[in-house]
Amino acid sequence: MNIKPLADRVLISPTPAEEVTAAGIIIPDTAKEKPLRGTVVATGNGTKDEEMVVKAGDEVLFGKYAGSEIELDGTKYLIMRQSDVLAVLEK
Amino acid sequence: MNIKPLADRVLISPTPAEEVTAAGIIIPDTAKEKPLRGTVVATGNGTKDEEMVVKAGDEVLFGKYAGSEIELDGTKYLIMRQSDVLAVLEK
Amino acid sequence: MNIKPLADRVLISPTPAEEVTAAGIIIPDTAKEKPLRGTVVATGNGTKDEEMVVKAGDEVLFGKYAGSEIELDGTKYLIMRQSDVLAVLEK
Amino acid sequence: MNIKPLADRVLISPTPAEEVTAAGIIIPDTAKEKPLRGTVVATGNGTKDEEMVVKAGDEVLFGKYAGSEIELDGTKYLIMRQSDVLAVLEK
Amino acid sequence: MNIKPLADRVLISPTPAEEVTAAGIIIPDTAKEKPLRGTVVATGNGTKDEEMVVKAGDEVLFGKYAGSEIELDGTKYLIMRQSDVLAVLEK
Amino acid sequence: MNIKPLADRVLISPTPAEEVTAAGIIIPDTAKEKPLRGTVVATGNGTKDEEMVVKAGDEVLFGKYAGSEIELDGTKYLIMRQSDVLAVLEK
Amino acid sequence: MNIKPLADRVLISPTPAEEVTAAGIIIPDTAKEKPLRGTVVATGNGTKDEEMVVKAGDEVLFGKYAGSEIELDGTKYLIMRQSDVLAVLEK
């Protein structure tokens, strides 16, 4: 069973905190909102106001409080609007 | 007697919490808003800003506090805007 | 003397709570906003952003806190925007 | 001296509470916002977003807290936006 | 030296409270926002959303808390958006 | 080194309070927001919604809390949106 | 690995406070929001409402609380919308 996000939403598999450090991205300890990292699993079809630019497989950064958490077959995911995605990590 | 939702609203029969676990979706115990699951029973005709993409029979995820509760002939339903539906579950 | 609602407003004769139960719609006892039921008596002509789809005679559901209450010749009515109407009951 | 309302505003001579009861409209004693009644004295020319549909002479209903109060030559008036007018009373 | 208001703003010379009473406009003693009176001294050129309809010399009514106060060569003025002007007084 | 404001922002060199009094503009002592005075040093190129009408050299009035303060080579400036500028002083 | 900001966001390498003073920009000690300085590292492709005008290499000023902080390979960055950038410093 797959989850197909609606409209301009994306389904993201969040990267565990350890992996993040290993990859060189350290979430600093400040009062600012800290962006987190994950991999896009599925995207909606976009809306007339928001064309989809992220795609499945993209590694992305997003704010700490972005999206809603769900768990499918034992795996945790986040579902959020594309506008809550801050950046794509390019290799 | 049937309920015909107005504009961009959808009528949803919520899936009881037990069934959700059985299907592999477990609502995690965090501070984040937890999406719930249900089956679309009826939809409105959409508006010029919001075309309907969910249809009767779709299994959908939605936020915990989305919509209004009603009860028709002993069955409980939720009525909410399509924009409150997060994703469609595809089999 | 008749009341002609302005713009996208509708005048509704609310169904007393007893009748609602008899018809099979029971307002559940939860923290969620509870939709109520009534019959449309008159509608405005709509606006360029909101075309009128409900019409006099329609049985409709609406949120508990929707609209303003008025009393004409001893009968109580509610006047609200069409966007506050959640659904039409079809027989 | 006359008052010419600007844009989409209307100048209303409010009907005293006694008269309202005599005409059969009784303001019910509930927590809901109570609409009041008056006669339109003058209207603005409208805006491109709001065409004027009420006209001088119309008896109208409006919310209790709508508009600003002014007094001209000893007579009290209310000045409000047309969108604060709920309905026109037709004879 | 002159003050040229920007965009859809108007510069108003407020009428002292005594004069207002003499002219027959008495600010009533209620909880509602009380409109005040003044003479337009200068206007901006308008915006594409707000065409200027008031002009220098117009006597206008405006809300008590509308605009900012300035003093030029010993005279006090108010500068506010045209949308804060409620009505023009016609003689 | 120069500061080029972005979009619809303007860079303003605020006029010291003493000078303001000398020029005949006295900031009155009331509860209302008090506009201040300054000289435009640089402007952005505008946006499609906000065409620039103030230009370098213009003396302008603006609200007391408008904009952000910066200091370049020992001189203090304010940077604000053009819509926070109330009026231009014409000589 | 590079960070590609989404939509109208820019990735900024903030200038340390010492450098700022050396360059002649001193953040004054007032209650107003204090703009800070940095160098643009990467930008998004813009949106239909917001065309990108800043580019990699630009030195920019931005508000103290603008954006989210991230750290990549030991270097701290800020990611913010272009509309949070106040001005470009021209040499």
Side-chain angles (χ1 to χ4, degrees):
Chain A
M1 189 170 52
N2 290 313
I3 299 178
K4 173 68 180 176
L6 233 69
D8 57 343
R9 289 190 182 83
V10 293
L11 185 72
I12 290 173
S13 170
T15 309
E18 307 78 65
E19 245 180 81
V20 170
T21 311
I25 302 219
I26 300 148
I27 308 306
D29 194 332
T30 73
K32 291 206 174 186
E33 189 191 325
K34 302 164 193 169
L36 298 179
R37 188 179 165 183
T39 306
V40 175
V41 174
T43 69
N45 293 328
T47 66
K48 71 180 163 188
D49 288 325
E50 178 86 8
E51 199 187 344
M52 299 312 282
V53 293
V54 302
K55 55 185 185 307
D58 280 357
E59 284 201 67
V60 294
L61 297 176
F62 47 86
K64 192 178 181 180
Y65 301 108
S68 298
E69 228 174 63
I70 57 171
E71 192 171 325
L72 179 65
D73 299 327
T75 313
K76 284 184 183 175
Y77 295 100
L78 282 166
I79 190 160
M80 67 185 67
R81 293 185 178 276
Q82 180 179 262
S83 59
D84 289 329
V85 177
L86 300 173
V88 175
L89 294 172
E90 297 174 332
K91 288 154 203 172
Chain B
M1 188 170 52
N2 290 314
I3 299 178
K4 173 66 180 175
L6 232 69
D8 56 344
R9 290 189 181 83
V10 293
L11 185 72
I12 290 172
S13 170
T15 309
E18 309 79 66
E19 244 179 82
V20 170
T21 311
I25 302 220
I26 300 147
I27 306 307
D29 194 333
T30 72
K32 292 206 175 186
E33 188 191 328
K34 302 164 192 168
L36 298 179
R37 190 179 164 184
T39 306
V40 175
V41 174
T43 69
N45 293 327
T47 66
K48 71 181 162 187
D49 289 325
E50 178 86 7
E51 199 188 344
M52 298 314 281
V53 292
V54 303
K55 55 186 185 307
D58 280 356
E59 283 201 68
V60 293
L61 297 176
F62 48 86
K64 192 178 182 180
Y65 301 108
S68 299
E69 229 175 62
I70 57 171
E71 193 171 324
L72 178 66
D73 298 327
T75 314
K76 284 184 184 178
Y77 296 100
L78 282 166
I79 190 159
M80 67 185 67
R81 294 185 177 277
Q82 181 180 259
S83 59
D84 289 329
V85 176
L86 300 173
V88 174
L89 294 172
E90 297 175 332
K91 288 153 206 172
Chain C
M1 189 170 52
N2 289 315
I3 299 179
K4 172 66 179 175
L6 233 68
D8 57 343
R9 290 191 182 81
V10 293
L11 185 72
I12 291 172
S13 169
T15 309
E18 308 79 64
E19 245 180 80
V20 170
T21 310
I25 302 218
I26 300 147
I27 307 306
D29 193 331
T30 73
K32 292 208 177 185
E33 187 191 329
K34 301 163 193 170
L36 298 180
R37 189 179 166 184
T39 306
V40 175
V41 175
T43 70
N45 293 329
T47 66
K48 70 181 161 185
D49 288 325
E50 178 86 7
E51 200 188 343
M52 299 313 282
V53 294
V54 303
K55 55 187 185 306
D58 281 355
E59 284 201 67
V60 293
L61 297 176
F62 47 86
K64 192 178 181 180
Y65 302 108
S68 298
E69 227 176 62
I70 57 171
E71 193 170 324
L72 179 66
D73 298 328
T75 314
K76 284 183 184 178
Y77 297 99
L78 282 166
I79 190 159
M80 66 185 68
R81 293 185 178 277
Q82 182 180 258
S83 59
D84 289 330
V85 177
L86 300 174
V88 174
L89 294 172
E90 296 174 332
K91 287 154 207 170
Chain D
M1 190 168 53
N2 289 316
I3 299 179
K4 172 66 179 176
L6 232 67
D8 57 342
R9 291 190 181 83
V10 291
L11 184 73
I12 291 172
S13 169
T15 309
E18 309 78 65
E19 245 180 80
V20 170
T21 311
I25 302 218
I26 300 149
I27 307 306
D29 193 332
T30 74
K32 291 207 178 188
E33 188 190 329
K34 301 163 194 170
L36 298 180
R37 188 179 167 184
T39 306
V40 175
V41 175
T43 69
N45 293 328
T47 66
K48 71 181 161 185
D49 289 325
E50 178 85 9
E51 200 187 343
M52 299 313 283
V53 293
V54 302
K55 56 186 186 303
D58 280 355
E59 284 201 66
V60 294
L61 297 177
F62 46 87
K64 193 179 181 181
Y65 302 107
S68 299
E69 225 176 65
I70 56 171
E71 192 169 326
L72 180 66
D73 298 328
T75 314
K76 284 184 184 177
Y77 297 98
L78 282 167
I79 190 159
M80 66 185 68
R81 293 185 178 277
Q82 181 179 258
S83 60
D84 290 330
V85 176
L86 299 174
V88 174
L89 294 172
E90 297 174 331
K91 286 154 207 171
Chain E
M1 190 168 53
N2 289 315
I3 299 179
K4 173 67 179 175
L6 233 66
D8 58 342
R9 291 189 181 84
V10 292
L11 184 73
I12 290 173
S13 169
T15 309
E18 308 78 66
E19 246 181 78
V20 170
T21 312
I25 300 218
I26 300 149
I27 308 306
D29 194 332
T30 75
K32 292 206 176 187
E33 188 190 328
K34 301 163 193 168
L36 299 179
R37 188 179 167 184
T39 306
V40 175
V41 174
T43 69
N45 293 328
T47 67
K48 71 183 162 186
D49 289 325
E50 179 85 9
E51 200 187 342
M52 300 312 284
V53 293
V54 302
K55 55 186 187 304
D58 280 356
E59 285 202 65
V60 294
L61 296 177
F62 47 88
K64 191 179 182 180
Y65 301 107
S68 299
E69 226 175 65
I70 56 171
E71 192 170 325
L72 179 66
D73 298 328
T75 313
K76 285 185 184 176
Y77 296 98
L78 282 166
I79 189 158
M80 66 185 68
R81 292 185 179 277
Q82 181 178 261
S83 59
D84 290 329
V85 176
L86 300 173
V88 175
L89 294 172
E90 298 174 331
K91 286 153 207 173
Chain F
M1 190 168 53
N2 290 315
I3 299 179
K4 172 67 181 176
L6 234 67
D8 57 342
R9 289 189 182 85
V10 292
L11 183 73
I12 289 173
S13 169
T15 309
E18 308 79 65
E19 247 181 77
V20 170
T21 312
I25 301 218
I26 300 150
I27 308 305
D29 194 331
T30 74
K32 292 207 175 185
E33 189 191 327
K34 300 162 192 170
L36 297 180
R37 188 179 167 184
T39 306
V40 175
V41 174
T43 69
N45 294 327
T47 67
K48 72 182 161 186
D49 288 326
E50 180 86 10
E51 201 188 343
M52 300 311 284
V53 293
V54 302
K55 55 185 186 307
D58 279 357
E59 284 201 66
V60 293
L61 297 177
F62 47 87
K64 191 178 182 180
Y65 302 107
S68 299
E69 227 176 64
I70 55 171
E71 193 170 323
L72 180 66
D73 298 327
T75 314
K76 285 185 184 175
Y77 296 99
L78 282 166
I79 189 158
M80 67 185 67
R81 292 184 180 278
Q82 181 178 261
S83 59
D84 290 330
V85 176
L86 300 173
V88 175
L89 294 172
E90 297 174 330
K91 285 154 206 172
Chain G
M1 190 169 55
N2 290 315
I3 299 178
K4 172 67 181 176
L6 233 67
D8 57 342
R9 290 189 183 85
V10 292
L11 184 72
I12 290 173
S13 170
T15 308
E18 308 78 65
E19 246 180 79
V20 171
T21 311
I25 301 218
I26 300 150
I27 308 307
D29 194 331
T30 74
K32 291 207 175 185
E33 190 191 325
K34 301 163 192 170
L36 297 180
R37 187 180 167 183
T39 306
V40 174
V41 174
T43 69
N45 293 328
T47 66
K48 72 180 162 189
D49 289 326
E50 179 85 10
E51 200 188 343
M52 300 311 283
V53 293
V54 302
K55 54 185 186 307
D58 280 358
E59 284 201 66
V60 294
L61 297 177
F62 47 87
K64 191 178 181 180
Y65 301 108
S68 299
E69 228 176 63
I70 55 171
E71 192 171 324
L72 179 66
D73 299 327
T75 314
K76 284 184 185 176
Y77 296 99
L78 282 166
I79 190 158
M80 67 185 66
R81 293 185 178 278
Q82 180 178 262
S83 60
D84 289 330
V85 176
L86 300 173
V88 175
L89 294 173
E90 298 175 331
K91 288 154 203 169

